[in-house]
Amino acid sequence: MPIVFTHEFNTPVYKGKVSFNTGLFINGQFVDGLDGTTIDVVNPTDSKVIPSVSEGTQKDVDLAVDAAEKAFETTWGLNCPGSKRGRLLSKLASLMEEHTDELAALETLDNGKTFNTARSWDVPAAITCVRYFAGWADKISGRVIETTEERFTYTRHEPIGVVGQIIPWNFPLLMFIWKIAPALATGNTVVLKPSEFTPLTAIRMCHLAQEAGFPPGILNVVTGYGNTVGSAISSHMRIHKVAFTGSTLVGRKIMEAAANSNLKNVTLELGGKSPNIIFNDADLEQAVRWAMLGSCIAGSRIFVQEGICDEFLKRFTEKSRSIKVGDPFAPDTFQGPQISKIQYDRIMGYIDSGKKEGAKIHLGGERHGSEGYFIQPTIFLDTNPDMRIVKEEIFGPVSVVIKFSDEEDIVRQANDTVYGLAAAVFTKDVNRAITTAHKLKAGSVWVNCYGLADPNTPFGGFKQSGIGREMGEYALNNYTEVKSVNVNLGLKM
């Protein structure tokens, strides 16, 4: 029998008890992995094991694909009208709303982001996303195409079938929803692998899907490691599409596996090293506040025009120094721990690299506290474009502030990266804002803000930041095949 995880939350921001099965979710049931092994999930705040969850392998992926194929051919896909798919997704959104605090607490427990962030942003954004794609479920349509009066030609947008999805640890719940909502809305069935570091909300969502009445087999979640479950999904001959969010390095491996197996359709949302350009006429206080945000889209290369650079740095330093780093369940905490010892060591390695290559640490650069995976907010100055801290994605509380003078050259500097996930421009001049935004080679550009997202707005990267778009109507194209139907009305041979 799979392990039942029971936990009592007694924190300043949330008090409550959770108890749920942590098995693999295959064909509507929670089961042990066939090998009977488990994965320890660690609380990044204190490095202690929270629960253990069932570990899947390739054999479990095969079972999940069997279930997904059967569901696609019988109770889902073209056998289930879009109106019903929409109702089930809407019911799931309503259940998520009822369990908002619990989902936020679970997100905080194994991810380390603050409860306030998860409660005010991650969970509401996930709910909104489910509702958005629920609305699309009965609006997937083709076109009638003009040919001749002797032919009737039209297109259908049909579901692909069984799709594989692999999600990261930075936004566990939100990435779960970004993946499954458009896939299920368009009639596909899903085999999904959450990060082994942060599987709790994905597993809990399976319980809510059961309660919502999802037919067995349409949603399958196999917890496991990337080199086993992730590899099995990306190379599986009966999975016809794979969607992945994570590092560019792993994205390449998934693309290779997809090509070497059945040439499956691939959507990749990968790394970034995003530029944040702040011009002399920017609202300085707002620019500082927005610059504090961090994630995969973080504007960690902060380019500040020379006329305001000193004042920006002063305010940015004061704001960074005032950040409360610590217990993510404390009401005044802004920054929690890094996700794991691996990620902690990786970030500290980049900080050491910056020091060795001659960059100046203006703030931070050290461990915070004595337990868990906490790192001080860190600011580097006096960098050059060849330094690793300028070129490579760090994925931690580390930024570089770079002074610039030449408005013509700043776009070249901003685009001087293998990535193209996101960018930002801060200026009060609307002509400069739009002109600069159009020249930046990034999938998302924000003007006088940073990181805002809506379910109806596409998200994805240029260059090595990915292939395809998630969110919005664009996401539907990832999960449908276009069929042309030609009907002869009068042609004779």
Side-chain angles (χ1 to χ4, degrees):
M1 287 287 294
I3 295 169
V4 174
F5 169 53
T6 300
H7 186 81
E8 187 86 36
F9 290 94
N10 185 19
T11 76
V13 290
Y14 176 66
K15 300 183 190 302
K17 183 178 180 180
V18 296
S19 183
F20 57 90
N21 198 305
T22 59
L24 312 180
F25 188 64
I26 297 175
N27 201 29
Q29 300 293 322
F30 290 95
V31 297
D32 287 315
L34 290 176
D35 284 357
T37 52
T38 59
I39 297 173
D40 288 340
V41 179
V42 174
N43 183 342
T45 301
D46 57 14
S47 312
K48 296 177 181 177
V49 174
I50 315 165
S52 295
V53 300
S54 295
E55 179 186 1
T57 65
Q58 180 175 344
K59 294 173 289 186
D60 300 294
V61 172
D62 288 339
L63 292 178
V65 172
D66 289 342
E69 279 188 332
K70 181 179 179 181
F72 182 75
E73 296 296 339
T74 56
T75 60
W76 206 247
L78 299 177
N79 302 293
C80 180
S83 57
K84 182 178 179 180
R85 298 196 300 269
R87 285 197 301 272
L88 287 170
L89 286 168
S90 293
K91 175 62 174 175
L92 180 63
S94 295
L95 288 170
M96 291 172 69
E97 213 159 41
E98 292 176 21
H99 293 269
T100 292
D101 286 351
E102 177 192 344
L103 290 170
L106 290 172
E107 197 83 332
T108 299
L109 186 63
D110 68 0
N111 171 271
K113 68 176 58 188
T114 69
F115 178 84
N116 287 339
T117 298
R119 177 65 178 79
S120 63
W121 164 247
D122 293 60
V123 180
I127 294 168
T128 301
C129 183
V130 177
R131 293 198 190 284
Y132 173 80
F133 283 109
W136 268 113
D138 61 356
K139 301 173 184 66
I140 311 300
S141 60
R143 297 170 55 196
V144 173
I145 298 173
E146 175 76 22
T147 54
T148 73
E149 288 303 299
E150 296 170 311
R151 291 165 58 199
F152 174 46
T153 304
Y154 62 94
T155 59
R156 286 163 55 89
H157 288 239
E158 298 182 356
I160 294 171
V162 180
V163 302
Q165 301 176 326
I166 304 170
I167 61 174
W169 45 257
N170 58 332
F171 290 96
L173 177 63
L174 197 56
M175 291 298 100
F176 179 87
I177 294 302
W178 276 27
K179 293 293 188 288
I180 72 162
L184 295 177
T186 48
N188 300 278
T189 54
V190 170
V191 178
L192 180 143
K193 186 195 97 67
S195 168
E196 63 272 22
F197 295 115
T198 54
L200 295 183
T201 45
I203 295 171
R204 186 68 182 99
M205 285 298 300
C206 294
H207 292 80
L208 297 185
Q210 272 187 325
E211 189 176 343
F214 280 34
I218 71 164
L219 173 63
N220 305 273
V221 171
V222 182
T223 49
Y225 294 105
N227 61 355
T228 51
V229 173
S231 178
I233 288 173
S234 56
S235 61
H236 206 287
M237 294 298 292
R238 291 183 290 139
I239 290 176
H240 301 290
K241 189 260 182 335
V242 63
F244 168 75
T245 297
S247 72
T248 298
L249 177 65
V250 176
R252 285 195 182 96
K253 293 180 180 179
I254 287 172
M255 197 170 182
E256 181 180 8
N260 288 337
S261 53
N262 57 350
L263 208 63
K264 56 176 63 67
N265 183 309
V266 174
T267 302
L268 303 173
E269 194 264 280
L270 307 176
K273 192 68 178 178
S274 302
N276 181 2
I277 304 172
I278 303 171
F279 287 99
N280 282 335
D281 66 339
D283 182 325
L284 195 53
E285 185 60 27
Q286 284 298 303
V288 169
R289 289 177 179 272
W290 287 105
M292 300 300 294
L293 299 179
S295 67
C296 59
I297 56 173
S300 56
R301 291 186 297 144
I302 306 173
F303 295 95
V304 187
Q305 200 163 11
E306 59 185 356
I308 60 167
C309 190
D310 290 345
E311 182 61 24
F312 172 87
L313 183 60
K314 175 185 174 183
R315 297 192 194 188
F316 187 54
T317 302
E318 290 172 353
K319 186 71 70 175
S320 299
R321 188 175 282 121
S322 70
I323 283 177
K324 170 70 179 301
V325 180
D327 178 8
F329 282 102
D332 57 345
T333 297
F334 183 86
Q335 178 188 311
Q338 304 310 302
I339 186 65
S340 66
K341 180 69 162 57
I342 294 172
Q343 185 64 13
Y344 170 88
D345 289 342
R346 183 173 182 271
I347 296 167
M348 294 305 294
Y350 273 111
I351 292 173
D352 289 341
S353 169
K355 295 175 183 177
K356 291 175 182 176
E357 291 183 329
K360 174 186 175 183
I361 285 194
H362 177 72
L363 181 71
E366 303 293 340
R367 177 188 183 93
H368 175 87
S370 58
E371 66 175 6
Y373 311 127
F374 295 91
I375 296 175
Q376 297 173 353
T378 300
I379 301 171
F380 275 102
L381 304 177
D382 300 339
T383 60
N384 68 61
D386 294 324
M387 291 179 176
R388 292 180 62 210
I389 58 171
V390 178
K391 294 196 304 182
E392 299 177 20
E393 182 179 43
I394 299 174
F395 224 103
V398 181
S399 59
V400 297
V401 176
I402 303 167
K403 184 187 295 187
F404 76 91
S405 57
D406 188 344
E407 289 195 25
E408 295 299 319
D409 190 55
I410 187 55
V411 172
R412 181 198 62 79
Q413 292 184 59
N415 288 333
D416 185 19
T417 171
V418 299
Y419 298 111
L421 189 58
V425 180
F426 284 83
T427 177
K428 293 176 183 176
D429 184 330
V430 67
N431 290 330
R432 177 189 289 127
I434 293 173
T435 300
T436 306
H438 289 183
K439 291 178 180 178
L440 291 169
K441 296 178 180 178
S444 296
V445 180
W446 291 282
V447 175
N448 295 328
C449 60
Y450 207 101
L452 299 181
D454 290 286
N456 57 356
T457 304
F459 182 79
F462 286 15
K463 299 187 279 187
Q464 293 184 39
S465 286
I467 297 171
R469 293 294 178 269
E470 298 190 291
M471 306 294 282
E473 187 176 356
Y474 292 85
L476 304 174
N477 298 330
N478 296 331
Y479 294 102
T480 57
E481 297 277 21
V482 180
K483 177 185 289 183
S484 297
V485 180
N486 297 272
V487 182
N488 185 353
L489 299 180
L491 289 172
K492 303 292 182 182
M493 292 292 288

